[in-house]
Amino acid sequence: MEVALREIAGQLGGELVGDGELRIARIATLESAAPDAIAFLANPKYRSQLASSRAGCVIVAPALRDEAAARGAAIVTPDPYAYYARLTQWWVRTLRPRPASGIHPSAVVDASARVAADAVIGPLCVIGANVRIGAGTRLAAHVTVYDGCTIGARCVVHGGAVIGADGFGFAPVEGEDGLRYEKIEQLGAVRIGDDVEIGANTCIDRGALDDTVIEDGVKLDNLIQIGHNVRIGAHSAMAGCSGVAGSGVIGKRCTIGGAAVILGHLTLADDVHISAASVVMRSIRQPGHYSGVFPIDDNAAWEKNAATLRQLHALRDRIRALEKNERQA
């Protein structure tokens, strides 16, 4: 299917430069675009691709208006990346058939669950007792929502996600045969706000006593583990394979890079940003960008540096002793 460029600009705004009747059939990158595609330039490092791109139209910032116009049609907007995001949403609403509202015949939904009439429950989903799912929310295939959990409006839960499984709660007990673990029944639930997106195979555990809470607008990537009694503030985002251990609290508008780990019972303030593969071992009380990643190197150099790191404590004690002797001299 195709749409006229003027229709895109009419729906989403921006200054249209060039032929408004140009037919657009796809959204593409600058490098791969054909003449029937619209592309965008948001990252300055791709500016060199602008002149050579075959895209029929390019979405650019005002500073690149003339440069983009010299090669063809353009839409000029203050934030090209945000415009691109809205374009993808409009494209899907307009050109991609939306799944029909309702419950797929293969889904298993408890009679006590309350599912909004315009929600979409995909194939082979399992919805437990006393679950509530809000208006316009879509659950893809194989999603499981355990008893008592709540999902707000306009959420998207991708395939294989599990919401409300038991948290990892066990009490160590010394018995005649040594240490064993006694299960702590998880009596809380999971409460998910509005406009939340949860990636494929992500797991959000139910609380031990109080609920695990995911506030409005949170975005979770694939393969994320959220432990019991975690609270994630509104409009925070976490990349794939990251995890938060039990009772962690993440503030509003935080970002957690891929494979980062936040230990249990820690608190991150609002507007904290954690680099990929970092391990957060203490609470962070001030906004900012934090990293805890040992740089990659060839193995021989890395082993030498690691050996040095193991001796930092002894080196610190030696330096303190030398400084003390200097002060006493």
Side-chain angles (χ1 to χ4, degrees):
M1 296 180 66
E2 296 180 346
V3 294
L5 188 56
R6 59 172 171 74
E7 186 176 354
I8 293 174
Q11 290 290 327
L12 302 178
E15 179 193 1
L16 175 57
V17 178
D19 182 8
E21 298 304 318
L22 179 69
R23 306 301 291 181
I24 299 297
R26 59 185 54 82
I27 304 169
T29 63
L30 285 170
E31 186 176 27
S32 65
D36 63 350
I38 184 170
F40 71 99
L41 176 55
N43 191 327
K45 73 179 184 179
Y46 296 115
R47 183 174 179 175
S48 61
Q49 296 180 9
L50 179 59
S52 61
S53 177
R54 298 174 61 234
C57 177
V58 180
I59 304 163
V60 296
L64 295 176
R65 181 189 187 281
D66 294 342
E67 189 174 337
R71 54 155 305 282
I75 292 177
V76 183
T77 180
D79 189 340
Y81 198 62
Y83 195 101
Y84 156 68
R86 293 193 298 271
L87 173 60
T88 62
Q89 295 171 19
W90 178 81
W91 195 270
V92 167
R93 289 195 306 269
T94 305
L95 301 178
R96 183 187 297 174
R98 187 181 187 276
S101 299
I103 299 170
H104 192 274
S106 67
V108 178
V109 180
D110 189 273
S112 65
R114 296 170 56 190
V115 180
D118 60 349
V120 179
I121 308 299
L124 302 174
C125 289
V126 178
I127 310 298
N130 301 308
V131 166
R132 287 184 293 162
I133 299 175
T137 287
R138 177 167 59 89
L139 274 56
H142 290 276
V143 169
T144 300
V145 185
Y146 280 62
D147 299 355
C149 295
T150 301
I151 303 175
R154 301 175 302 279
C155 295
V156 179
V157 185
H158 290 281
V162 177
I163 297 169
D166 278 358
F168 193 64
F170 299 91
V173 177
E174 288 288 350
E176 294 181 359
D177 298 327
L179 181 67
R180 62 183 178 84
Y181 291 94
E182 196 74 30
K183 181 176 177 61
I184 300 171
E185 293 292 347
Q186 305 293 286
L187 306 179
V190 175
R191 286 188 286 121
I192 296 173
D194 298 336
D195 302 299
V196 171
E197 184 149 346
I198 298 168
N201 294 315
T202 282
C203 296
I204 304 174
D205 290 347
R206 69 195 309 115
L209 295 174
D210 297 327
D211 295 341
T212 301
V213 177
I214 311 297
E215 295 185 2
D216 293 350
V218 168
K219 311 301 181 189
L220 303 179
D221 198 358
N222 301 335
L223 295 167
I224 288 175
Q225 165 65 26
I226 304 297
H228 56 183
N229 297 108
V230 165
R231 187 178 194 101
I232 301 179
H235 306 293
S236 289
M238 299 179 61
C241 298
S242 55
V244 186
S247 299
V249 177
I250 296 174
K252 302 178 189 300
R253 301 175 301 278
C254 294
T255 58
I256 311 298
V261 175
I262 300 169
L263 301 189
H265 302 273
L266 301 183
T267 297
L268 273 58
D270 296 345
D271 301 298
V272 166
H273 307 287
I274 304 298
S275 294
S278 295
V279 179
V280 180
M281 304 179 69
R282 60 176 176 83
S283 291
I284 298 175
R285 306 294 183 181
Q286 298 296 325
H289 188 178
Y290 296 83
S291 301
V293 183
F294 193 83
I296 195 168
D297 205 341
D298 66 87
N299 188 68
W302 188 92
E303 287 182 344
K304 290 177 183 177
N305 288 328
T308 302
L309 284 173
R310 285 198 297 267
Q311 310 199 25
L312 283 179
H313 186 79
L315 291 171
R316 183 193 65 176
D317 290 344
R318 289 176 61 187
I319 290 170
R320 285 180 173 176
L322 290 170
E323 289 175 343
K324 182 177 180 180
N325 290 337
E326 287 181 357
R327 288 194 297 269
Q328 293 174 348

PDB file of all heavy atoms in Angstrom, residues 175-192:
ATOM      1  N   GLY A 175      18.290 -28.366  59.264  1.00  0.00           N
ATOM      2  CA  GLY A 175      17.627 -29.585  59.697  1.00  0.00           C
ATOM      3  C   GLY A 175      18.627 -30.673  60.017  1.00  0.00           C
ATOM      4  O   GLY A 175      19.849 -30.459  59.996  1.00  0.00           O
ATOM      5  N   GLU A 176      18.112 -31.840  60.297  1.00  0.00           N
ATOM      6  CA  GLU A 176      18.981 -32.968  60.631  1.00  0.00           C
ATOM      7  C   GLU A 176      19.917 -33.314  59.480  1.00  0.00           C
ATOM      8  O   GLU A 176      21.043 -33.771  59.706  1.00  0.00           O
ATOM      9  CB  GLU A 176      18.130 -34.187  61.006  1.00  0.00           C
ATOM     10  CG  GLU A 176      17.320 -33.998  62.285  1.00  0.00           C
ATOM     11  CD  GLU A 176      16.512 -35.236  62.613  1.00  0.00           C
ATOM     12  OE1 GLU A 176      16.589 -36.210  61.826  1.00  0.00           O
ATOM     13  OE2 GLU A 176      15.813 -35.235  63.643  1.00  0.00           O
ATOM     14  N   ASP A 177      19.461 -33.110  58.269  1.00  0.00           N
ATOM     15  CA  ASP A 177      20.264 -33.455  57.098  1.00  0.00           C
ATOM     16  C   ASP A 177      21.022 -32.244  56.544  1.00  0.00           C
ATOM     17  O   ASP A 177      21.531 -32.287  55.430  1.00  0.00           O
ATOM     18  CB  ASP A 177      19.371 -34.037  56.003  1.00  0.00           C
ATOM     19  CG  ASP A 177      18.705 -35.324  56.456  1.00  0.00           C
ATOM     20  OD1 ASP A 177      19.327 -36.061  57.240  1.00  0.00           O
ATOM     21  OD2 ASP A 177      17.561 -35.569  56.028  1.00  0.00           O
ATOM     22  N   GLY A 178      21.075 -31.154  57.327  1.00  0.00           N
ATOM     23  CA  GLY A 178      21.764 -29.961  56.863  1.00  0.00           C
ATOM     24  C   GLY A 178      20.781 -28.898  56.392  1.00  0.00           C
ATOM     25  O   GLY A 178      19.579 -28.948  56.669  1.00  0.00           O
ATOM     26  N   LEU A 179      21.307 -27.965  55.632  1.00  0.00           N
ATOM     27  CA  LEU A 179      20.510 -26.821  55.202  1.00  0.00           C
ATOM     28  C   LEU A 179      19.448 -27.225  54.183  1.00  0.00           C
ATOM     29  O   LEU A 179      19.714 -27.976  53.250  1.00  0.00           O
ATOM     30  CB  LEU A 179      21.426 -25.766  54.574  1.00  0.00           C
ATOM     31  CG  LEU A 179      20.752 -24.489  54.086  1.00  0.00           C
ATOM     32  CD1 LEU A 179      20.205 -23.681  55.254  1.00  0.00           C
ATOM     33  CD2 LEU A 179      21.726 -23.647  53.278  1.00  0.00           C
ATOM     34  N   ARG A 180      18.255 -26.701  54.381  1.00  0.00           N
ATOM     35  CA  ARG A 180      17.203 -26.828  53.390  1.00  0.00           C
ATOM     36  C   ARG A 180      16.463 -25.498  53.326  1.00  0.00           C
ATOM     37  O   ARG A 180      16.713 -24.598  54.129  1.00  0.00           O
ATOM     38  CB  ARG A 180      16.246 -27.970  53.724  1.00  0.00           C
ATOM     39  CG  ARG A 180      15.500 -27.789  55.037  1.00  0.00           C
ATOM     40  CD  ARG A 180      14.611 -28.999  55.329  1.00  0.00           C
ATOM     41  NE  ARG A 180      13.921 -28.853  56.600  1.00  0.00           N
ATOM     42  CZ  ARG A 180      12.779 -28.189  56.760  1.00  0.00           C
ATOM     43  NH1 ARG A 180      12.196 -27.615  55.720  1.00  0.00           N
ATOM     44  NH2 ARG A 180      12.210 -28.102  57.944  1.00  0.00           N
ATOM     45  N   TYR A 181      15.536 -25.394  52.374  1.00  0.00           N
ATOM     46  CA  TYR A 181      14.826 -24.135  52.176  1.00  0.00           C
ATOM     47  C   TYR A 181      13.330 -24.343  52.323  1.00  0.00           C
ATOM     48  O   TYR A 181      12.759 -25.263  51.726  1.00  0.00           O
ATOM     49  CB  TYR A 181      15.137 -23.550  50.797  1.00  0.00           C
ATOM     50  CG  TYR A 181      16.573 -23.074  50.682  1.00  0.00           C
ATOM     51  CD1 TYR A 181      17.550 -23.916  50.164  1.00  0.00           C
ATOM     52  CD2 TYR A 181      16.937 -21.798  51.093  1.00  0.00           C
ATOM     53  CE1 TYR A 181      18.859 -23.493  50.065  1.00  0.00           C
ATOM     54  CE2 TYR A 181      18.248 -21.360  51.003  1.00  0.00           C
ATOM     55  CZ  TYR A 181      19.202 -22.215  50.488  1.00  0.00           C
ATOM     56  OH  TYR A 181      20.502 -21.789  50.398  1.00  0.00           O
ATOM     57  N   GLU A 182      12.708 -23.473  53.109  1.00  0.00           N
ATOM     58  CA  GLU A 182      11.274 -23.511  53.326  1.00  0.00           C
ATOM     59  C   GLU A 182      10.618 -22.433  52.454  1.00  0.00           C
ATOM     60  O   GLU A 182      10.987 -21.257  52.511  1.00  0.00           O
ATOM     61  CB  GLU A 182      10.960 -23.234  54.804  1.00  0.00           C
ATOM     62  CG  GLU A 182       9.559 -23.607  55.234  1.00  0.00           C
ATOM     63  CD  GLU A 182       9.361 -25.107  55.354  1.00  0.00           C
ATOM     64  OE1 GLU A 182      10.333 -25.830  55.662  1.00  0.00           O
ATOM     65  OE2 GLU A 182       8.213 -25.554  55.129  1.00  0.00           O
ATOM     66  N   LYS A 183       9.651 -22.827  51.629  1.00  0.00           N
ATOM     67  CA  LYS A 183       9.020 -21.871  50.719  1.00  0.00           C
ATOM     68  C   LYS A 183       8.235 -20.818  51.488  1.00  0.00           C
ATOM     69  O   LYS A 183       7.498 -21.132  52.426  1.00  0.00           O
ATOM     70  CB  LYS A 183       8.097 -22.591  49.740  1.00  0.00           C
ATOM     71  CG  LYS A 183       7.423 -21.643  48.740  1.00  0.00           C
ATOM     72  CD  LYS A 183       6.596 -22.387  47.724  1.00  0.00           C
ATOM     73  CE  LYS A 183       5.874 -21.453  46.781  1.00  0.00           C
ATOM     74  NZ  LYS A 183       6.787 -20.602  46.001  1.00  0.00           N
ATOM     75  N   ILE A 184       8.383 -19.557  51.062  1.00  0.00           N
ATOM     76  CA  ILE A 184       7.556 -18.461  51.552  1.00  0.00           C
ATOM     77  C   ILE A 184       6.500 -18.191  50.493  1.00  0.00           C
ATOM     78  O   ILE A 184       6.821 -17.783  49.369  1.00  0.00           O
ATOM     79  CB  ILE A 184       8.397 -17.201  51.804  1.00  0.00           C
ATOM     80  CG1 ILE A 184       9.483 -17.484  52.840  1.00  0.00           C
ATOM     81  CG2 ILE A 184       7.514 -16.035  52.235  1.00  0.00           C
ATOM     82  CD1 ILE A 184      10.488 -16.358  52.991  1.00  0.00           C
ATOM     83  N   GLU A 185       5.262 -18.465  50.827  1.00  0.00           N
ATOM     84  CA  GLU A 185       4.202 -18.232  49.860  1.00  0.00           C
ATOM     85  C   GLU A 185       4.131 -16.747  49.508  1.00  0.00           C
ATOM     86  O   GLU A 185       4.230 -15.882  50.377  1.00  0.00           O
ATOM     87  CB  GLU A 185       2.857 -18.708  50.403  1.00  0.00           C
ATOM     88  CG  GLU A 185       2.759 -20.215  50.579  1.00  0.00           C
ATOM     89  CD  GLU A 185       2.762 -20.957  49.249  1.00  0.00           C
ATOM     90  OE1 GLU A 185       2.595 -20.317  48.194  1.00  0.00           O
ATOM     91  OE2 GLU A 185       2.938 -22.199  49.272  1.00  0.00           O
ATOM     92  N   GLN A 186       3.962 -16.473  48.245  1.00  0.00           N
ATOM     93  CA  GLN A 186       3.937 -15.098  47.751  1.00  0.00           C
ATOM     94  C   GLN A 186       2.482 -14.624  47.695  1.00  0.00           C
ATOM     95  O   GLN A 186       1.704 -15.063  46.859  1.00  0.00           O
ATOM     96  CB  GLN A 186       4.587 -15.033  46.378  1.00  0.00           C
ATOM     97  CG  GLN A 186       6.004 -15.602  46.356  1.00  0.00           C
ATOM     98  CD  GLN A 186       6.990 -14.761  47.153  1.00  0.00           C
ATOM     99  OE1 GLN A 186       7.398 -13.680  46.737  1.00  0.00           O
ATOM    100  NE2 GLN A 186       7.395 -15.272  48.314  1.00  0.00           N
ATOM    101  N   LEU A 187       2.146 -13.706  48.583  1.00  0.00           N
ATOM    102  CA  LEU A 187       0.754 -13.333  48.806  1.00  0.00           C
ATOM    103  C   LEU A 187       0.352 -12.033  48.121  1.00  0.00           C
ATOM    104  O   LEU A 187      -0.824 -11.662  48.131  1.00  0.00           O
ATOM    105  CB  LEU A 187       0.484 -13.221  50.314  1.00  0.00           C
ATOM    106  CG  LEU A 187       0.858 -14.466  51.135  1.00  0.00           C
ATOM    107  CD1 LEU A 187       0.573 -14.231  52.607  1.00  0.00           C
ATOM    108  CD2 LEU A 187       0.108 -15.690  50.632  1.00  0.00           C
ATOM    109  N   GLY A 188       1.316 -11.325  47.548  1.00  0.00           N
ATOM    110  CA  GLY A 188       1.006 -10.102  46.820  1.00  0.00           C
ATOM    111  C   GLY A 188       0.634 -10.409  45.377  1.00  0.00           C
ATOM    112  O   GLY A 188       0.410 -11.555  44.996  1.00  0.00           O
ATOM    113  N   ALA A 189       0.582  -9.362  44.570  1.00  0.00           N
ATOM    114  CA  ALA A 189       0.245  -9.519  43.155  1.00  0.00           C
ATOM    115  C   ALA A 189       1.164  -8.620  42.337  1.00  0.00           C
ATOM    116  O   ALA A 189       2.205  -8.180  42.811  1.00  0.00           O
ATOM    117  CB  ALA A 189      -1.228  -9.182  42.920  1.00  0.00           C
ATOM    118  N   VAL A 190       0.799  -8.369  41.103  1.00  0.00           N
ATOM    119  CA  VAL A 190       1.505  -7.420  40.225  1.00  0.00           C
ATOM    120  C   VAL A 190       0.489  -6.397  39.750  1.00  0.00           C
ATOM    121  O   VAL A 190      -0.592  -6.759  39.290  1.00  0.00           O
ATOM    122  CB  VAL A 190       2.140  -8.128  39.008  1.00  0.00           C
ATOM    123  CG1 VAL A 190       2.761  -7.097  38.064  1.00  0.00           C
ATOM    124  CG2 VAL A 190       3.191  -9.132  39.456  1.00  0.00           C
ATOM    125  N   ARG A 191       0.855  -5.121  39.868  1.00  0.00           N
ATOM    126  CA  ARG A 191       0.003  -4.035  39.374  1.00  0.00           C
ATOM    127  C   ARG A 191       0.758  -3.268  38.295  1.00  0.00           C
ATOM    128  O   ARG A 191       1.826  -2.712  38.557  1.00  0.00           O
ATOM    129  CB  ARG A 191      -0.388  -3.079  40.507  1.00  0.00           C
ATOM    130  CG  ARG A 191      -1.425  -3.666  41.443  1.00  0.00           C
ATOM    131  CD  ARG A 191      -1.942  -2.630  42.431  1.00  0.00           C
ATOM    132  NE  ARG A 191      -0.968  -2.326  43.463  1.00  0.00           N
ATOM    133  CZ  ARG A 191      -0.464  -1.111  43.690  1.00  0.00           C
ATOM    134  NH1 ARG A 191      -0.811  -0.095  42.918  1.00  0.00           N
ATOM    135  NH2 ARG A 191       0.403  -0.928  44.661  1.00  0.00           N
ATOM    136  N   ILE A 192       0.219  -3.279  37.110  1.00  0.00           N
ATOM    137  CA  ILE A 192       0.839  -2.630  35.953  1.00  0.00           C
ATOM    138  C   ILE A 192      -0.042  -1.461  35.530  1.00  0.00           C
ATOM    139  O   ILE A 192      -1.260  -1.613  35.376  1.00  0.00           O
ATOM    140  CB  ILE A 192       1.023  -3.634  34.810  1.00  0.00           C
ATOM    141  CG1 ILE A 192       1.999  -4.736  35.242  1.00  0.00           C
ATOM    142  CG2 ILE A 192       1.510  -2.948  33.534  1.00  0.00           C
ATOM    143  CD1 ILE A 192       2.123  -5.877  34.263  1.00  0.00           C
TER     144      ILE A 192
END
